[in-house]
Amino acid sequence: MAKHVPRAAALIKPYLNKVVLQVHPDFFVHDASKKKHNAQALQQLYDVLHPILRPQQQETHKKQSDPITLRFFRKGNKGQQQQQQAPSVVFQAPGDVWPTVQDFFELCDHLAVPIQPSDRQAVRDTVAHLRQRLHRHPARSLQQQFADALYQEHHRHYQNANHNENTWTPTAILRQPLLMCHPDVDQDRVATQFAQWLPHLEPARWWGILPTLIVPEHDYHRASDNTSTKGILVLHDAMTEKDIRAYLGQHLQQKLRERSE
């Protein structure tokens, strides 16, 4: 099972960032109860996924083995203020890698985080293979070949992003699923500015690769120092192109490392 952990982690990480951008407690600053609920639920989710994302720390981390039910409030869609509670998801066997990935994908479905069909099918196939091993034992080399092929396909998908001038329109900026604006941020103004600035900010290194969170200037230091924003670029709405370039120069490599951990 340990050999499958890196492949499972590679599937989870890109979607986990998108989940965080849907349920981050900072989006509920005007509702203390929802903010507290999501903060607690997000920590529980990290606890469930920790053995997969950080297998080298299993000995120092409390292992979650009993079934656990998670439910989040989801921020409204762009242009909407309504914040809805998504259906609950039960992680039936947190100690088992692939059933946990499957339950995590169900959580993504409830939070409107789209899953690549190839990723979903790969997880289903792997779970089916593991269940069959209770009755028969296929050659380990074939299983390893499947896992390696899955990882390589997933890696190529996230490394072959193609950025061109036609990408940089305000509409395209707002459609980027890894961009999220705080409810108090004027997202239309941000999109217009980004459409002008992105071509000069080496977007191939980070745009569509790292989640990017835009917060109000007065909330920037608290948000950027939050442990839940690891692997997430945190910018504020008063930054200029020069400010963003300086931020990327200082933080981009660290954020990329955090995302790969």
Side-chain angles (χ1 to χ4, degrees):
M1 184 65 71
K3 293 183 178 180
H4 298 290
V5 170
R7 281 72 184 180
L11 283 170
I12 288 175
K13 287 178 181 178
Y15 301 113
L16 178 59
N17 289 329
K18 297 177 183 180
V19 166
V20 171
L21 289 177
Q22 287 291 333
V23 304
H24 197 283
D26 284 350
F27 289 121
F28 301 87
V29 292
H30 304 301
D31 192 322
S33 62
K34 291 180 180 179
K35 180 177 181 179
K36 181 179 179 181
H37 175 93
N38 271 24
Q40 293 175 340
L42 191 59
Q43 183 57 57
Q44 289 178 307
L45 178 61
Y46 286 146
D47 289 341
V48 169
L49 299 180
H50 191 278
I52 300 175
L53 300 179
R54 302 288 180 86
Q56 69 278 11
Q57 299 179 5
Q58 287 193 58
E59 294 182 359
T60 60
H61 188 82
K62 182 180 179 181
K63 184 176 180 180
Q64 177 72 40
S65 57
D66 297 328
I68 182 170
T69 301
L70 296 182
R71 183 191 295 267
F72 290 94
F73 287 99
R74 181 167 63 94
K75 74 177 296 294
N77 294 328
K78 290 183 171 72
Q80 297 180 351
Q81 295 299 320
Q82 185 178 8
Q83 297 163 335
Q84 301 177 338
Q85 191 172 32
S88 61
V89 172
V90 179
F91 285 80
Q92 297 284 359
D96 295 333
V97 174
W98 289 104
T100 297
V101 178
Q102 193 170 47
D103 291 338
F104 174 73
F105 276 9
E106 182 182 351
L107 174 64
C108 291
D109 291 337
H110 290 329
L111 295 174
V113 172
I115 302 295
Q116 291 290 326
S118 59
D119 290 345
R120 190 187 302 276
Q121 190 60 48
V123 173
R124 289 173 177 169
D125 290 346
T126 305
V127 171
H129 277 296
L130 293 174
R131 287 173 177 169
Q132 289 175 5
R133 291 181 63 181
L134 295 174
H135 306 286
R136 60 187 180 89
H137 300 278
R140 294 178 62 85
S141 60
L142 294 178
Q143 185 73 15
Q144 187 62 47
Q145 290 175 17
F146 166 79
D148 290 342
L150 170 62
Y151 176 77
Q152 293 171 5
E153 177 185 355
H154 178 78
H155 182 71
R156 285 195 301 269
H157 174 76
Y158 283 96
Q159 290 297 319
N160 292 336
N162 180 28
H163 301 282
N164 55 63
E165 293 182 358
N166 294 328
T167 304
W168 317 125
T169 65
T171 299
I173 298 299
L174 292 178
R175 286 178 179 172
Q176 170 53 247
L178 292 184
L179 174 70
M180 190 63 66
C181 295
H182 187 281
D184 293 339
V185 168
D186 184 345
Q187 62 181 8
D188 292 327
R189 181 175 67 85
V190 167
T192 299
Q193 292 175 333
F194 267 50
Q196 299 172 0
W197 298 343
L198 272 175
H200 312 294
L201 294 172
E202 299 183 283
R205 298 180 60 199
W206 59 279
W207 183 252
I209 299 172
L210 286 175
T212 303
L213 176 64
I214 313 294
V215 300
E217 182 178 13
H218 63 78
D219 203 37
Y220 173 70
H221 290 294
R222 184 177 64 84
S224 60
D225 291 339
N226 197 313
T227 57
S228 63
T229 56
K230 283 188 175 182
I232 298 176
L233 297 172
V234 182
L235 310 175
H236 65 71
D237 56 357
M239 279 183 166
T240 64
E241 178 184 340
K242 181 178 179 181
D243 294 331
I244 296 176
R245 184 180 296 108
Y247 173 89
L248 293 173
Q250 182 178 355
H251 298 287
L252 180 56
Q253 290 303 319
Q254 176 186 347
K255 295 294 185 179
L256 288 170
R257 285 195 298 270
E258 291 173 353
R259 178 180 180 273
S260 65
E261 289 179 351

